[in-house]
């Protein structure tokens, strides 16, 4: 290993990257696009949802509250119904996605403050609606100002999707998904490119060692990965107010470890692929299980045991535990050590297999 | 590497073979290349020239046989050899999306040239190979001949003792080829040993020594002059007014090694003088007025004879 050679390769790789407009655009474009795409689903600024109101109390106060909620423009009250049955019907047929239900004892509940005074029934099969409902649930009911903290004045009832997923869960997960996509794909392609373009034949005849070459080509991607993390964090904060509750440094450390794991997967794939197209296919082949099983798409606890075991082998599963722990629960890396160790082991295994498969020859 | 003893061989190959599955690309090759030689590799497509060159620089593992290059035994000691070796691949293998300058700078760093020396050497090469004006152009946008010059510059950047060139002048115009070969002799004069594969007879003729490969086997190995003198057949010119018909008549006749129409005449290579009369008889009976004139041997005759009759001319070299 010689530093001069390593630097020469890194420099060359950066130059090529700068000239490769498409790749360059994708490195920045993928995080932004994904965040906006997924962000739309968690966009809290939803307006004009079709709604029905079932005002069983029908008092001055209840009518006033309905008018106030309507004034927020989150809901458009299309139907005034008189039985819960009608609410059910409208929702099943997709006519409405939200229903406001004010019980007959609305006034009494407001006075006592021991049970929610208002029910918000939402179509839980729709992410957008869920997010809007949560926003509405925070609507200040004027007469409940003096309530104790245990009971919220508005109760949200999820139809069709009782297991409610916080939208905030999506952004930390998205960091993992974006890193998986770019790190694995771009390294695998970058490493195969040299072989496919015939540069390798020239390089093998020089004193470059295969590991200088691999490391030199992969190092720029570590930096790129960290830039992507930053882009997602900043956009997440500006657009969706996603917090980082734990230590930012530890978050970056976790990301770094995950980047290394993904890069080693990319390096391993590059030893299997003969062409850039194959590398791309292999990379996609590893995305699907990662995205489906890691807990990004579906809750981990709800998956069958076999799927859970399989998921334990995937780096994204462990990174999601790290990133959600740090960002949302203010957990420390130390507390999350099993996930960190799993990523470390994954990296070592992948690199070892890749080393065994790499030799400085053409045949 | 210390300076090379002139009596020593730069490349010594014994019984070298390479198989790809069932194909035998190189078959029991023996080769000796001495210092400062411009050693030519001639052979039809697929005869194993590239495969041999690749084994000589450690890119491919031989299936069997011994290779010693500049005192390094391959494939064991391939890494030690690499700093003394320059290799120019058959197809352009520098980075198309880097400029001329960037490519050379990269190679200089890869070979571990100190920064100052690298700069100096690159300037020198840019001037020698007429690349100075193109230094900021992307390598992928260079013309065929410019690419070859850049590749040569890249291969000699670290001043190797041995230069392996795989068809360096394919797709290069005659004038540029001449210039390219001038620079090869310049390098040879400066002490570099050169092994170069080619399909051009005029280039082959300029080599100090020539090996002809056919289907992986060495079928001739000597200086071009001696190869022509020792031509196993006799070149004849068939002068007639209907060379195409004459060619059809003569095709496949006993004693005929090769036929080629050259302008209005027909060039024929026959195995021996004794076939001359029966062949002109054959033409006459076919109703073609022709005169057979003996021609002078050229390298193409040697090439055709050697690659058509591998058994007879194998091991022709003394
Ligand atoms: N990697 C490989 N796998 C399988 N067969 C190969 C491989 N490389 C070369 N061959 C075969 O070996 C034989 C020799 O090929 P080689 O490239 O050495 O020929 P060549 O003399 O350089 O031909 P050309 O003049 O066309 O460049 C050919 O039949 C070729 O198909
Ligand atoms: Mg070839």
């Amino acid at each position: 290993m010689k530093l001069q050679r390593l630097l020469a390769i890194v420099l060359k790789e950066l130059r090529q990257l700068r000239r490769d407009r498409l790749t360059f655009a994708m490195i920045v474009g993928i995080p932004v696009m994904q965040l906006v795409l997924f962000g739309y689903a968690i966009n809290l600024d939803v307006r004009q949802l079709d709604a029905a109101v079932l005002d069983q109390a029908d008092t001055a106060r209840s009518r006033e509250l309905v008018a106030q909620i309507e004034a927020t423009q989150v809901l458009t009250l299309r139907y005034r119904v008189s039985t819960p049955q009608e609410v059910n019907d409208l929702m099943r047929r997709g006519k409405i996605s939200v229903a406001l239900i004010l019980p007959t004892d609305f006034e009494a509940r407001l006075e006592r403050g021991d049970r929610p005074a208002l029910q918000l029934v939402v179509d839980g099969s729709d992410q957008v609606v869920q997010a809007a409902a949560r926003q509405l649930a925070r609507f200040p009911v004027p007469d409940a100002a003096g309530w104790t903290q245990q009971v919220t004045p508005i109760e949200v009832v999820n139809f069709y999707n009782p297991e409610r997923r916080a939208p905030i869960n999506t952004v930390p997960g998205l960091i993992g998904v974006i890193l998986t996509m770019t790190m694995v794909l771009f390294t695998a392609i970058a490493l195969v490119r040299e072989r496919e373009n015939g540069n390798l034949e020239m390089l093998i005849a020089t004193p470059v060692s295969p590991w200088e070459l691999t490391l030199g080509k992969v190092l720029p991607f570590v930096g790129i990965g960290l830039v992507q993390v930053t882009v997602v964090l900043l956009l997440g904060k500006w657009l969706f107010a996603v917090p980082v509750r734990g230590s930012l440094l530890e978050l970056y450390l976790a990301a770094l470890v995950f980047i290394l794991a993904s890069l080693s997967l990319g390096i391993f794939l590059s030893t299997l692929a003969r062409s850039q197209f194959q590398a791309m296919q292999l990379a996609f082949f590893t995305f699907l299980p990662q995205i489906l099983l890691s807990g990004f798409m579906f809750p981990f606890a709800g998956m069958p045991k076999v799927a859970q075991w399989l998921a334990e082998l995937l780096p994204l599963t462990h990174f999601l535990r790290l990133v959600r722990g740090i960002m949302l629960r203010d957990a420390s890396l130390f507390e999350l050590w099993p996930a960190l160790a799993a990523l470390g082991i994954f990296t070592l295994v992948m690199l070892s297999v890749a080393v065994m498969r790499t030799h400085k020859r053409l045949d | 590497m210390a300076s090379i003893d002139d009596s020593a061989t730069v490349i010594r190959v014994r019984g070298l073979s390479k198989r790809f599955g069932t194909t035998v690309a190189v078959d029991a090759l023996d080769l000796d290349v001495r210092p400062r030689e411009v050693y030519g590799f001639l052979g039809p497509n697929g005869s194993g020239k590239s495969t041999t060159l690749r084994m000589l620089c450690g890119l491919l593992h031989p299936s069997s046989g011994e290779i010693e290059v500049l005192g390094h035994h391959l494939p064991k000691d391939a890494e030690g050899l690499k700093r003394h070796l320059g290799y120019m691949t058959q197809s352009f293998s520098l980075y198309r999306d880097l400029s001329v300058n960037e490519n050379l700078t990269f190679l200089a760093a890869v070979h571990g040239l100190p920064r100052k020396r690298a700069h100096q050497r690159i300037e020198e090469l840019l001037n020698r190979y007429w690349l100075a004006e193109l230094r900021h152009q992307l390598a992928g946008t260079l013309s065929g001949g410019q690419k070859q010059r850049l590749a040569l510059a890249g291969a000699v950047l670290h001043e190797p003792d041995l230069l392996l060139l795989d068809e360096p002048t394919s797709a290069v115009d005659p004038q540029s080829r001449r210039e390219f070969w001038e620079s090869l002799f310049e390098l040879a004069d400066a002490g570099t040993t050169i092994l170069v594969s080619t399909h051009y007879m005029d280039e082959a003729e300029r080599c100090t020594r020539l090996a002809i490969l056919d289907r992986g086997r060495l079928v001739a190995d000597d200086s071009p002059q001696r190869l022509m003198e020792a031509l196993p057949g006799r070149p004849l010119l068939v002068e007639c007014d209907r060379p195409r018909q004459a060619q059809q008549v003569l095709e496949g006749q006993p004693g005929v090694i090769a036929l080629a129409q050259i302008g209005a005449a027909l060039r024929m290579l026959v195995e021996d003088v004794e076939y001359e009369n029966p062949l002109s008889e054959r033409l006459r009976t076919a109703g073609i007025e022709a005169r057979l004139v003996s021609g002078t041997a050229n390298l193409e005759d040697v090439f055709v004879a050697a690659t058509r009759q591998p058994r007879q001319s194998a091991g022709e070299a003394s």
Side-chain angles (χ1 to χ4, degrees), chain B residues 145 207 300:
Chain B
C207 296
E300 192 162 335

Side-chain angles (χ1 to χ4, degrees), chain B:
Chain B
M1 184 93 197
S3 69
I4 301 152
D5 179 0
D6 261 24
S7 61
T9 50
V10 174
I11 299 177
R12 189 174 169 279
V13 165
R14 290 292 175 271
L16 181 65
S17 296
K18 178 69 187 178
R19 283 178 292 276
F20 296 105
T22 54
T23 344
V24 182
V26 177
D27 192 1
L29 199 66
D30 292 346
L31 215 59
D32 287 286
V33 180
R34 277 177 287 277
R36 288 158 201 256
E37 248 177 336
V38 177
Y39 196 106
F41 253 34
L42 204 58
N45 293 129
S47 56
K49 301 183 295 294
S50 297
T51 308
T52 305
L53 289 177
R54 283 175 175 155
M55 287 193 286
L56 289 180
C57 58
L59 257 69
L60 288 177
H61 261 211
S63 305
S64 61
E66 281 171 44
I67 310 175
E68 191 185 326
V69 182
L70 294 169
H72 299 268
H73 290 269
L74 298 187
K76 219 176 42 251
D77 192 17
E79 288 312 306
L81 169 67
K82 275 165 189 173
R83 61 194 68 247
H84 308 291
L85 180 91
Y87 172 47
M88 186 173 155
T89 54
Q90 183 167 358
S91 54
F92 187 67
S93 58
L94 291 177
Y95 296 98
R96 284 159 207 277
D97 48 356
L98 290 186
S99 72
V100 169
N101 225 352
E102 288 165 350
N103 265 304
L104 293 178
T105 312
F106 170 71
L107 280 175
V110 156
H111 282 292
L113 263 64
R115 189 175 277 269
K116 222 162 149 189
R117 174 92 190 96
H119 183 75
Q120 191 189 341
R121 183 87 181 119
I122 289 172
E123 284 310 309
E124 194 183 314
L125 291 175
L126 286 178
N127 288 321
R128 179 174 318 157
Y129 298 123
W130 306 283
L131 292 166
E133 276 110 80
L134 305 167
R135 66 173 75 215
H136 296 301
Q137 195 170 330
L138 294 189
T141 63
L142 294 176
S143 81
Q146 293 166 343
K147 276 195 187 110
Q148 307 284 44
R149 296 207 301 264
L150 173 59
L152 181 65
V156 300
L157 187 64
H158 56 297
E159 297 173 279
D161 300 316
L162 172 65
L163 201 52
L164 304 178
L165 307 169
D166 198 354
E167 289 184 36
T169 54
S170 52
V172 175
D173 70 67
Q175 182 57 35
S176 306
R177 266 171 46 204
R178 271 170 188 281
E179 286 163 1
F180 191 94
W181 272 78
E182 293 311 315
S183 36
L184 288 194
F185 283 117
E186 233 172 78
L187 286 165
D189 270 352
T192 314
T193 308
I194 297 173
L195 192 58
V196 53
S197 80
T198 182
H199 284 299
Y200 294 108
M201 293 305 150
D202 60 326
E203 291 187 355
E205 209 162 337
R206 303 176 76 160
C207 296
T208 56
R209 204 178 163 93
L210 199 59
I212 300 182
L213 290 182
D214 184 38
R215 280 159 281 182
R217 301 181 55 214
L218 188 69
V219 290
D221 179 15
D222 211 332
S223 74
Q225 200 49 51
R226 272 204 297 252
L227 284 175
M228 285 188 280
E229 283 163 13
L231 180 71
R234 271 175 59 82
L236 293 173
L237 277 181
V238 184
E239 289 178 350
C240 60
D241 45 2
R242 289 185 293 157
R244 280 210 52 72
Q245 278 83 345
Q247 183 168 0
Q248 277 161 12
V249 170
L250 293 170
E251 201 83 67
Q253 289 297 311
V256 175
I257 301 173
L259 286 160
Q261 188 178 343
I262 294 170
L266 186 65
R267 210 182 142 83
M268 173 164 64
L269 193 60
V270 295
E271 279 170 24
D272 210 339
V273 234
E274 66 194 60
Y275 293 103
E276 218 174 294
N277 283 331
L279 285 172
S280 32
E281 193 58 38
R282 180 78 191 79
L283 281 175
R284 220 179 348 265
T285 51
I288 299 170
E289 255 339 291
R291 215 160 60 86
L292 296 189
V293 188
S294 82
T296 45
N298 64 22
L299 256 188
E300 192 162 335
D301 296 328
V302 174
F303 178 77
V304 166
T307 54
R308 287 287 168 92
Q309 293 187 302
R311 258 153 291 116
Q312 274 185 27
S313 44
E316 193 68 35
S318 46

